[in-house]
Amino acid sequence: LYLWGAGIGGTTAAGDDIDVSFSDIIDNLDMAFMGVLQAKKDKWTLLADVNYLGLSDDQTSTANLIGQPVSTKLDVELKSWIVTAAAAYQVHETDTTRLDILGGGRYLYMDADLDFKIPAIPLREKYSDSGSVLDAIVGARGEVRLNEKWYVNYHVDVGTGESDVTWQALAGLNYRFSKVDAAFGYRYLKWEFDDDD
């Protein structure tokens, strides 16, 4: 299990910028789950990386309606799943390094709900949209052991399919205790879509 202290950035199909900081995500977080499951035998590894994020926020404001101020309320919910599954094969290992090549797929699902209300009229409009993409990926991962306790791990992959391109890069510094490892690193995950998607 891990915590990815992530921000979300992007550009909408209309060309508007999206910038959601980690503090904004924490303030509006309903639920999150992040974890990796790996099974290894000889030189083969099967892995699954699962991310779920549920966010919601509501804003109350005042709008000018026919010269009169009226109260408005906006509720927004966003749910997303990111699942990466792959098989990796070890192609190189020494006393201090290990390198695997990998292939698999990455799935992205997002669902957004918007609820707009003007209680005085009364007016209520609901909008909902969702979408998913599945991409094939190839990449490499491995580690460099600095000593018996400290090691650096890395993972890079790139792919395409229902999106134009998706890629991620991860690098981490880790400390090995007797039964668990503590890890700290940086991860970047990106998708690119057609302008009208």
Side-chain angles (χ1 to χ4, degrees):
L1 299 176
Y2 64 89
L3 170 65
W4 185 12
I8 301 172
T11 305
T12 68
D16 298 318
D17 289 333
I18 299 168
D19 184 12
V20 184
S21 69
F22 177 58
S23 62
D24 290 335
I25 290 175
I26 290 296
D27 289 344
N28 300 292
L29 183 66
D30 292 333
M31 181 184 169
F33 173 82
M34 301 167 188
V36 177
L37 181 64
Q38 297 186 96
K40 183 174 174 64
K41 183 173 183 181
D42 299 326
K43 294 190 173 188
W44 286 96
T45 303
L46 296 177
L47 63 102
D49 184 358
V50 178
N51 279 264
Y52 171 79
L53 182 65
L55 303 171
S56 65
D57 192 16
D58 59 81
Q59 297 286 330
T60 302
S61 185
T62 303
N64 191 347
L65 186 66
I66 317 174
Q68 297 295 320
V70 293
S71 176
T72 62
K73 186 174 182 186
L74 180 67
D75 295 319
V76 179
E77 287 186 11
L78 175 67
K79 297 173 185 170
S80 71
W81 286 93
I82 301 170
V83 179
T84 302
Y89 183 77
Q90 182 181 297
V91 294
H92 176 73
E93 184 172 34
T94 69
D95 291 340
T96 58
T97 62
R98 188 194 84 241
L99 173 64
D100 299 347
I101 57 171
L102 64 90
R106 180 152 48 245
Y107 174 75
L108 167 68
Y109 172 80
M110 297 187 84
D111 178 79
D113 295 313
L114 178 71
D115 191 355
F116 178 74
K117 302 174 196 169
I118 301 179
I121 296 183
L123 171 71
R124 182 174 187 177
E125 294 288 340
K126 283 189 169 187
Y127 302 93
S128 183
D129 197 9
S130 64
S132 63
V133 292
L134 179 62
D135 297 298
I137 59 166
V138 294
R141 65 183 210 139
E143 65 179 47
V144 177
R145 293 178 280 278
L146 306 176
N147 56 41
E148 289 185 1
K149 295 290 187 181
W150 290 94
Y151 65 98
V152 173
N153 72 305
Y154 59 89
H155 176 116
V156 293
D157 65 53
V158 63
T160 188
E162 293 181 336
S163 72
D164 288 348
V165 67
T166 180
W167 64 272
Q168 76 167 324
L170 177 150
L173 179 63
N174 310 271
Y175 184 82
R176 185 168 283 126
F177 294 95
S178 59
K179 294 187 178 180
V180 296
D181 292 3
F184 180 79
Y186 183 80
R187 180 182 188 185
Y188 191 89
L189 177 58
K190 182 171 183 172
W191 280 268
E192 292 182 10
F193 304 97
D194 289 333
D195 288 342
D196 57 350
D197 287 345

